[in-house]
Amino acid sequence: PSSVVPTGLPTPAKTETATVAFVVDGDTIELTNGRRVRYIGINTPEHDQPYFAEAAAANRQLVEGKTIQLEFDVETFDQYGRSLAYIWLDGVLVNLEIVRQGYASTFTVPPNVRHEAEFRQGEREAREAGRGLWAESQVALKIVHIEANAPGSDDDNPNGEWVEIANQGQEAVSMRGFTLKDEANH
């Protein structure tokens, strides 16, 4: 992971202090009281995806064993019973730092949108710099056509929007773990 830079955002006045027992993965931690916390606004690779280990290591380096501040948004729990929070450590918004390092993509689930603009900017910076998930790949895939607007009503033509991807190389390419999204995170 690159050097950590304070976010420039003011640490919120209303937070809950906790200590991280261990890092579960790139966007989930467990506190010393046994509570699991899922980071709001970001998504890191899962166990079977590229950059999983790097995302978990970056998160571990940032927070494991440290005292943090939890900032909550509108919804405070997810469907799995995990707390949802923005994680702060010494003036650094950890969620944003993981995005800036290139180990997470922005994943906004309304109504928890307080730092969405910062996350989108951090992802844009990581992508432009070619960090982590955005590093140039030797895979010979190319988007050759995008049908972005289906004819007629989307209700009548739900499969009319599509992307054609061609393998321009000589070797087969497994697309397992690949994600394709637009700038609006769709």
Side-chain angles (χ1 to χ4, degrees):
S2 60
S3 59
V4 178
V5 178
T7 61
L9 300 171
T11 303
K14 187 177 179 184
T15 61
E16 177 183 316
T17 300
T19 302
V20 178
F22 66 92
V23 167
V24 175
D25 58 25
D27 55 28
T28 307
I29 55 177
E30 187 164 310
L31 306 176
T32 54
N33 65 6
R35 189 163 110 199
R36 288 230 169 162
V37 180
R38 171 69 164 83
Y39 293 13
I40 296 174
I42 71 171
N43 194 37
T44 60
E46 300 302 326
H47 288 277
D48 59 346
Q49 296 177 328
Y51 288 98
F52 168 81
E54 294 86 345
N59 196 15
R60 198 170 292 113
Q61 181 180 11
L62 288 164
V63 301
E64 194 163 70
K66 298 179 182 170
T67 300
I68 58 168
Q69 287 72 47
L70 304 168
E71 175 191 6
F72 300 101
D73 209 330
V74 177
E75 292 180 344
T76 57
F77 292 95
D78 68 7
Q79 68 268 29
Y80 305 109
R82 299 176 296 189
S83 293
L84 296 170
Y86 303 104
I87 309 303
W88 290 87
L89 176 67
D90 300 330
V92 172
L93 177 53
V94 175
N95 314 45
L96 177 57
E97 183 59 27
I98 292 171
V99 170
R100 282 181 174 167
Q101 289 183 18
Y103 297 122
S105 59
T106 302
F107 182 66
T108 303
V109 180
N112 291 347
V113 298
R114 184 172 301 143
H115 296 294
E116 178 182 12
E118 292 90 345
F119 295 156
R120 289 199 184 283
Q121 178 59 34
E123 181 178 312
R124 198 169 11 263
E125 291 168 8
R127 187 175 44 234
E128 288 170 2
R131 290 191 292 266
L133 299 168
W134 317 112
E136 196 165 309
S137 172
Q138 299 305 314
V139 176
L141 297 179
K142 181 178 180 182
I143 296 174
V144 293
H145 185 79
I146 299 173
E147 190 65 40
N149 193 9
S153 164
D154 287 346
D155 292 332
D156 296 333
N157 192 0
N159 296 317
E161 296 174 357
W162 49 272
V163 176
E164 181 179 350
I165 301 172
N167 183 349
Q168 309 263 303
Q170 300 299 314
E171 302 291 324
V173 176
S174 169
M175 297 203 43
R176 182 180 179 154
F178 278 61
T179 301
L180 182 67
K181 66 179 184 169
D182 64 15
E183 288 187 7
N185 212 32
H186 296 111

